[in-house]
């Protein structure tokens, strides 16, 4: 386990865990915190012993948003010249699966960060929202774009325009969250999912993630073609031979990750 200024990292088996650790500010996402998150995720992505990544916060807060105290006095020209938040998206370039394990508040940038991950597993006390409107601003790290893809226009507009929060069960019904579990079982459940993913072939998992993510960027015809290319590519791997041979011979596969 490693403790940095704003995060803690840990490895459990083949799963790399990044825990936001700025409790006094409810894990508000200051610049330094996001730099540490991206660096940790990139280092797990490069580590051959890691097959999946979990991003989590505390029981009280996954993250209560961008750091309002840090932003409050910035001028247009500051945030424009810095392209504020543009580097947050680096987490979406991670090739291994990233699971957001959310307890407590996931608000503003916190909700946006969770949506940048490949799936969200939530504790039953979690709360999601885009309250920027209450601060006289709007979501700036993907909230207006990713929320609509996750839950549709009417529900996205409702969250963005009212600033209201939804609870974990509502978020699951709306399709924002993959699974809700009792709050105290969150990490246990996230690790079960991460370990299951890690038990499969890593290059195939990466292709599956890449194919699903391509649907956000492409038309249906282009996306189907892209999926097809990746599907055919799986037949160039030893693991496709292994997985199918194991099925045919009624035995468990042993994936070789190539
Ligand atoms: N930025 C900076 N500090 C924050 C913060 C944030 N986003 N959220 C909470 N904190 C700080 C509080 O200021 C407080 O610090 P002090 O002890 O120094 O006063 C500490 O964390 C604890 O917070 P509260 O006392 O407010 O805790 P609470 O339990 O009463 O309320 C809460 C919890 C409802 C989440 C409330 O803290 C809150 O509304 N936070 C702000 C949520 C928000 O507006 N997020 C959007 C930010 S803008 C954004 O994210 C832009 C973007 O698109 C990227």
């Amino acid at each position: 386990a490693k403790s940095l200024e704003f995060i803690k990292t840990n490895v459990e088996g083949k799963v790399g865990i990044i825990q936001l650790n700025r409790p006094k500010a409810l894990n508000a996402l200051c610049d330094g915190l996001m730099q540490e998150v991206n660096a940790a995720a990139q280092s797990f992505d490069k580590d051959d012993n890691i097959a999946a990544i979990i991003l989590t916060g505390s029981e009280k807060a996954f993250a209560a948003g961008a750091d309002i105290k840090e932003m409050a006095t910035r001028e247009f020209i500051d945030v424009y010249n810095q392209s504020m938040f543009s580097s947050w998206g680096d987490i979406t370039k991670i090739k291994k699966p990233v699971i957001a394990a959310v307890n407590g508040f996931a608000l503003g940038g916190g909700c946006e960060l969770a949506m940048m991950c490949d799936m969200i597993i939530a504790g039953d006390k979690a709360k999601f929202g885009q309250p920027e409107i209450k601060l006289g601003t709007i979501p700036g790290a993907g909230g207006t774009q990713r929320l609509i893809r996750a839950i549709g226009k009417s529900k996205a507009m409702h969250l963005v325009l009212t600033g209201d929060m939804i609870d974990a069960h509502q978020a699951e019904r709306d399709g924002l969250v993959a699974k809700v579990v009792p709050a105290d079982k969150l990490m246990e459940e996230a690790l079960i999912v991460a370990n299951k993913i890690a038990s499969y072939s890593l290059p195939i998992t990466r292709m599956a993630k890449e194919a699903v993510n391509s649907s956000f960027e492409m038309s249906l015809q282009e996306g189907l073609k892209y999926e097809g290319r990746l599907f055919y590519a799986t037949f160039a791997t030893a693991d496709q031979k292994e997985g199918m041979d194991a099925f045919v011979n009624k035995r468990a596969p042993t994936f070789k990750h190539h």
Side-chain angles (χ1 to χ4, degrees), residues 63-66 68 71 105-112 127-140 143 147 156 158-166:
I68 302 168
M71 283 185 295
F105 296 110
L107 300 178
C111 185
E112 293 169 304
K127 288 203 184 316
F128 297 84
Q130 297 290 158
E132 288 88 344
I133 198 89
K134 298 185 188 174
L135 301 168
T137 187
I138 71 169
L147 204 52
H158 185 254
L159 287 184
V160 171
L161 298 183
T162 65
D164 286 352
M165 296 183 210
I166 53 172

Side-chain angles (χ1 to χ4, degrees), residues 4 7 9 18 35-45 53:
L4 299 168
I7 66 168
T9 62
I18 303 172
Q35 280 163 20
E36 288 185 6
V37 167
N38 277 319
Q42 282 158 17
S43 129
F44 282 144
D45 212 22
I53 299 166

